[in-house]
Amino acid sequence: MHCSEFRTALSARVDGEGLPPGVTGAALDAHLLGCAECCAWGDRARRLRVLAARFDLG
Ligand SMILES: [Zn+2]
C-alpha cells in the first residue's frame, strides 16, 4: 500500500469515520510507526480538525 492510501485512512480516523475497506487500524498504526511523513501528516490533520471544531467549520 502507498502512503496516500494510509493518509486517506488517517483522515477518516481523524474525522471519526470508519476506515476504508482494506485498511485495518493495526496496519495504519504500523505504517505510522515506520513513516515519519505520514506521522507528521497525521499531526497536521489532527490540528486542523481541532481548529475546525473550535471555529465550528465542520
Ligand atoms: Zn507513509
Side-chain angles (χ1 to χ4, degrees):
M1 275 173 66
H2 290 108
C3 284
S4 63
E5 294 171 82
F6 283 110
R7 289 179 195 191
T8 300
L10 195 48
S11 122
R13 178 190 269 179
V14 167
D15 285 340
E17 294 163 7
L19 295 176
V23 185
T24 64
L28 179 55
D29 288 335
H31 182 79
L32 289 175
L33 282 176
C35 184
E37 282 86 8
C38 283
C39 210
W41 190 92
D43 280 346
R44 274 200 304 277
R46 263 193 299 277
R47 270 201 292 275
L48 282 175
R49 190 78 189 88
V50 168
L51 278 178
R54 184 173 301 162
F55 292 105
D56 201 22
L57 299 175

